[in-house]
Amino acid sequence: MTALSVPPPEPDWEAAPVYQGGKRNPAFQTSTWEYAAVNFRLVAGLRVPLEALAARLRLTLESSWDDLGGMKIAMFRVRTTDFALTRHDGQDVVLVWLARATPEEDAAVELLLTVCGLDRRALLFIGNPTTGLTHCEERPT
């Protein structure tokens, strides 16, 4: 079998994950999270480390990106409820995403807190940008 070689990119092509204004590189790359995110809606923010949540549930964190930059993410199911947890590089807040097909946001957030061994003090906010975010005060134990 003859070995084929792929030529290098054209000199004026920009990186594929960067907005290019519709020119140059014929490929525009989006992240796995950008594809998956259309199936999720933001429902809460947590004030605990993503790595600790992942360790508790034995989740594997994946690297991805979106408009705001690099991020770590875990997508998983508890019973029949699909969740995603994301944290952007340099940020402390963990965003909680719920599958759009799940109607009961409050029950889903409570389920997540329960399986993570947390109570509502872990919530930084609840809600979403469309209906409004409700900031949750951190209360001493």
Side-chain angles (χ1 to χ4, degrees), residues 26-41:
F28 177 71
Q29 183 178 5
T30 58
S31 72
T32 304
W33 172 241
E34 287 175 307
Y35 276 105
V38 299
N39 295 313
F40 288 89
R41 66 187 188 278

Side-chain angles (χ1 to χ4, degrees), residues 6 44 68 91 101 125-126 128 131 136 138:
V6 176
L68 301 175
Q91 299 294 313
F125 67 83
I126 196 157
N128 63 65
T131 61
C136 301
E138 185 173 12

Side-chain angles (χ1 to χ4, degrees), residues 48-59 61 85 87 94 116 118:
V48 294
L50 180 58
E51 292 77 9
L53 294 168
R56 163 79 176 176
L57 298 176
R58 297 186 182 264
L59 300 171
L61 293 177
L85 300 176
R87 188 198 71 234
V94 173
C116 289
L118 301 170

Side-chain angles (χ1 to χ4, degrees), residues 24-107:
R24 300 189 188 131
N25 189 341
F28 177 71
Q29 183 178 5
T30 58
S31 72
T32 304
W33 172 241
E34 287 175 307
Y35 276 105
V38 299
N39 295 313
F40 288 89
R41 66 187 188 278
L42 179 65
V43 295
L46 299 176
R47 61 175 99 240
V48 294
L50 180 58
E51 292 77 9
L53 294 168
R56 163 79 176 176
L57 298 176
R58 297 186 182 264
L59 300 171
T60 298
L61 293 177
E62 300 178 62
S63 296
S64 195
W65 74 89
D66 65 9
D67 299 11
L68 301 175
M71 63 194 310
K72 296 290 183 195
I73 180 169
M75 290 183 279
F76 58 97
R77 179 173 294 142
V78 176
R79 298 186 189 131
T80 59
T81 304
D82 292 309
F83 293 96
L85 300 176
T86 63
R87 188 198 71 234
H88 283 91
D89 295 348
Q91 299 294 313
D92 292 329
V93 64
V94 173
L95 300 179
V96 178
W97 303 82
L98 181 62
R100 291 191 184 279
T102 305
E104 296 296 323
E105 289 181 14
D106 292 337

